[in-house]
Amino acid sequence: MSKHLHHDIVIIGAGAAGLTLALELANEHKVAILTKGDISEGSTLYAQGGVAAVMSDKDTVDSHVQDTINAGAELGNEDAIRFTVENSKPSIDWLIDQGVPFTRNGESDDYHLTKEGGHSHRRIIHAADATGLAISQTLVKNALAHPNIHFYPDRVAIDLVTTQKLGLSEQNRVIGLYALNQKTDTVEVFHAHRVALATGGSSKVYLYTSNPDTASGDGIAMAWRAGCRVGNMEFNQFHPTCLYDAKAKTFLISEAVRGEGGRLLLPDGTRFMFNFDDRGELAPRDIVARAIDHEMKRLGVKHVLLDISHKDPEFIKEHFPTIYKRCLNYGHDMTKGPIPVVPAAHYTCGGVVVDQHGTTDVTDLYAIGEASYTGLHGANRLASNSLLECIVYARSAAQKMLADNEPRADYQIPDWDSSKVTDSDEDVVITHNWHELRRFMWDYVGIVRTNKRLLRAKHRVDLLLSEIEEFYSNYRVSADLLELRNLAVVADLIIQSAMARKESRGLHFTLDYPDKHENSTPTILKPRIRSSELENPSACPHIA
């Protein structure tokens, strides 16, 4: 018998988006938050730079909107962009009310605003160089103190349960989900009137990433299997500057370092960014990442250098205390000389297609944060717009849910049945497929692409999907298997989207189509063939 748990709303993920949504709903609803590991683990925790918002009299909404459009290579949705920017100041005020300790200008009441690549004004409000940590700690503390918010750590979501999947209704309405309890190694059934996917992005699909291990595209893959469209999955942002050190595992060096005067250098000390863009080191991330990739391949070197040592040491320590200490731990003193950096997969600009309230194609299913595609980012994300998107859309989703008084029926969800599957003695297959997937995605679907590389990747992912589905159907589920299953789905969506775009734009650069199209549109994929579970519930060996 499966354990059944009932809540009004289940949120998968406890980053900025998930926690904001929970706190906005908890006075009226019983909320469950599922996390894979510790309740504070996620991409928000590692976000260094800050939150972009129009906070200064010298700045304007129109300016922020235009910067976002430009960074997104004119592929962003202007309505979504304007909606986000217009709600930036109220969102920051909300975070301040929650107690987030943003950095001030000395002893004044004014907040310190910094400038990052692609921005025309200083508009990045931050908490030193650990903004995500400050936001995460504050929101987690507040959520833990709320009696209506219940955390379920060490849960890996397996799949959403919809009325259509169970043959209960023609309308595709989400009514809950299955989740693996990693502590008990059992599958639990979560019942909910609404489900929100706040699972983050899918950068773990690449061999090198700045993201935590949780970024395996779970929400995107589950939504796709449930019947949701996805958009712009070909646009994967590679952060240009991650610390190159075997022990560091590509520790991210904030864009703010370049914003405050950091220079990119070749191994011989020569600056090179002005050879690629008039903005130099302050060019948008896709341009900087491609420039570094080009120079590394041209010279056959493993990294380039980032140098801010010409600035006063106390300035560096004050503005980048976390980065300074971490680099020092690895033997790199950024106050005395340059540090080695490389690009790494950093942010998923596409995701589950949603509207301005985070609603998806499946009734009562929401997607917020990096798991969603709102239209804000276009073909590239403007620095520090991501945390802003999390707060704005989580609060908007909450308003939608609170205003919806439509009664929901209580559906019966079948137990998870493990009687038809066995324990695997071939875990080496999972490990091998895991490494193969991430390697060919890095080699064939990385910063620079070609038709041949994409075709090779498509062939390999099709074989992997078949192998993984067979493995999933015959063996007990594990966290590694579930993440691999989701990553393979996301990899396929990325490859399909990349193959469909016959131009180079933003983060998608292909040698076969180096020019932009004049009238480009977003890439929207719609599930054409349902999974066996969606077409025939009895075909899934795990549903009783």
Side-chain angles (χ1 to χ4, degrees):
M1 294 286 291
S2 298
K3 182 178 182 179
H4 290 249
L5 301 108
H6 297 259
H7 298 81
D8 298 328
I9 295 155
V10 171
I11 300 168
I12 310 174
L19 291 169
T20 299
L21 179 61
L23 288 166
E24 289 284 79
L25 292 171
N27 288 339
E28 302 290 335
H29 293 286
K30 183 180 177 183
V31 180
I33 302 179
L34 278 61
T35 65
K36 280 189 190 177
D38 184 82
I39 59 176
S40 61
E41 181 68 16
S43 293
T44 296
L45 192 68
Y46 300 92
Q48 296 170 350
V51 189
V54 179
M55 302 286 291
S56 167
D57 293 339
K58 298 178 181 179
D59 197 4
T60 65
V61 167
D62 286 342
S63 176
H64 191 170
V65 167
Q66 192 59 52
D67 289 346
T68 303
I69 291 172
N70 292 344
E74 295 82 41
L75 198 64
N77 181 302
E78 188 167 350
D79 290 339
I81 295 169
R82 188 165 293 279
F83 170 76
T84 306
V85 174
E86 287 176 346
N87 283 281
S88 63
K89 177 67 163 57
S91 295
I92 297 300
D93 291 340
W94 184 84
L95 287 173
I96 292 170
D97 290 343
Q98 292 293 314
V100 176
F102 290 114
T103 299
R104 296 182 183 272
N105 280 317
E107 300 298 322
S108 73
D109 292 332
D110 296 332
Y111 290 99
H112 181 267
L113 303 177
T114 190
K115 186 178 180 181
E116 295 181 348
H119 288 276
S120 58
H121 292 80
R122 284 183 172 268
R123 64 167 67 101
I124 315 302
I125 188 170
H126 60 100
D129 63 345
T131 308
L133 177 64
I135 291 174
S136 179
Q137 289 179 336
T138 302
L139 299 187
V140 166
K141 177 184 176 182
N142 295 347
L144 285 170
H146 203 294
N148 270 356
I149 298 177
H150 305 274
F151 283 93
Y152 293 88
D154 299 304
R155 265 68 170 193
V156 180
I158 300 172
D159 257 329
L160 300 166
V161 181
T162 66
T163 53
Q164 191 177 81
K165 184 180 290 188
L166 297 180
L168 301 175
S169 169
E170 289 187 3
Q171 183 182 27
N172 203 12
R173 179 187 294 271
V174 71
I175 56 176
L177 61 110
Y178 293 108
L180 173 66
N181 184 328
Q182 298 180 83
K183 289 292 181 65
T184 63
D185 200 29
T186 59
V187 175
E188 299 168 336
V189 183
F190 283 83
H191 298 251
H193 293 150
R194 300 177 188 88
V195 174
L197 302 170
T199 52
S202 55
S203 287
K204 199 176 176 182
V205 76
Y206 288 100
L207 186 61
Y208 303 111
T209 174
S210 65
N211 284 199
D213 286 342
T214 54
S216 52
D218 302 332
I220 298 171
M222 287 191 294
W224 175 259
R225 289 193 293 265
C228 292
R229 291 170 297 156
V230 298
N232 278 8
M233 288 298 293
E234 69 270 37
F235 298 117
N236 304 276
Q237 189 176 71
F238 289 80
H239 197 286
T241 54
C242 292
L243 183 66
Y244 179 78
D245 189 287
K247 297 178 182 177
K249 293 185 178 180
T250 58
F251 169 64
L252 186 150
I253 306 299
S254 171
E255 183 138 6
V257 173
R258 285 181 285 122
E260 294 295 342
R263 301 165 181 168
L264 286 166
L265 311 174
L266 298 178
D268 65 1
T270 305
R271 289 182 77 174
F272 61 89
M273 273 309 306
F274 284 101
N275 297 332
F276 296 88
D277 194 282
D278 291 340
R279 290 165 288 189
E281 283 82 3
L282 292 180
R285 288 178 178 177
D286 60 318
I287 295 173
V288 179
R290 278 200 303 275
I292 295 173
D293 182 70
H294 173 84
E295 292 298 324
M296 287 171 58
K297 289 176 178 175
R298 181 178 69 85
L299 297 172
V301 296
K302 295 182 178 179
H303 61 79
V304 296
L305 301 170
L306 177 63
D307 188 15
I308 196 172
S309 61
H310 53 278
K311 304 284 281 190
D312 183 77
E314 293 306 313
F315 173 88
I316 296 171
K317 294 175 185 178
E318 179 185 351
H319 282 76
F320 309 109
T322 305
I323 297 172
Y324 169 74
K325 290 175 184 176
R326 284 291 295 274
C327 286
L328 205 58
N329 288 341
Y330 298 118
H332 308 285
D333 190 339
M334 61 192 296
T335 68
K336 294 181 178 179
I339 57 177
V341 294
V342 293
H346 182 59
Y347 191 86
T348 306
C349 286
V352 184
V353 174
V354 298
D355 64 10
Q356 288 185 357
H357 300 293
T359 61
T360 71
D361 295 327
V362 175
T363 303
D364 289 333
L365 178 65
Y366 292 73
I368 50 177
E370 195 175 349
S372 69
Y373 165 68
T374 63
L376 171 64
H377 304 304
N380 186 16
R381 176 177 70 98
L382 181 64
S384 292
N385 266 356
S386 49
L387 285 174
L388 174 63
E389 182 183 44
C390 289
I391 310 303
V392 168
Y393 279 84
R395 296 182 73 216
S396 180
Q399 292 171 8
K400 170 80 171 178
M401 294 185 200
L402 291 171
D404 183 1
N405 295 316
E406 177 190 345
R408 263 70 173 175
D410 290 323
Y411 292 95
Q412 296 297 314
I413 301 178
D415 285 344
W416 183 264
D417 184 8
S418 297
S419 64
K420 302 170 188 175
V421 295
T422 61
D423 290 315
S424 171
D425 59 356
E426 293 289 341
D427 287 345
V428 66
V429 175
I430 296 177
T431 302
H432 175 82
N433 287 350
W434 184 277
H435 290 303
E436 181 185 353
L437 175 69
R438 299 180 75 199
R439 168 58 73 181
F440 76 65
M441 285 298 291
W442 183 264
D443 289 341
Y444 299 153
V445 202
I447 296 173
V448 177
R449 302 162 181 176
T450 67
N451 286 343
K452 286 184 178 179
R453 293 175 193 173
L454 293 175
L455 284 170
R456 288 190 183 105
K458 179 60 176 163
H459 176 67
R460 294 194 182 192
V461 81
D462 286 345
L463 292 174
L464 277 182
L465 284 167
S466 178
E467 277 189 28
I468 293 166
E469 198 59 35
E470 187 272 336
F471 209 89
Y472 173 77
S473 299
N474 290 286
Y475 298 103
R476 294 184 190 279
V477 294
S478 66
D480 284 345
L481 173 59
L482 294 173
E483 286 192 339
L484 175 63
R485 181 178 182 236
N486 290 333
L487 280 175
V489 170
V490 169
D492 187 40
L493 295 175
I494 293 171
I495 295 164
Q496 287 188 54
S497 300
M499 293 177 75
R501 185 163 293 281
K502 308 298 184 184
E503 65 166 346
S504 289
R505 181 179 293 270
L507 299 166
H508 174 74
F509 184 81
T510 169
L511 296 176
D512 292 300
Y513 307 101
D515 300 320
K516 286 183 184 180
H517 285 169
E518 284 191 13
N519 299 308
S520 189
T521 57
T523 303
I524 306 296
L525 301 182
K526 182 177 181 180
R528 292 184 296 274
I529 301 174
R530 304 290 191 191
S531 70
S532 58
E533 295 174 43
L534 202 56
E535 289 185 329
N536 179 13
S538 63
C540 178
H542 301 299
I543 297 181

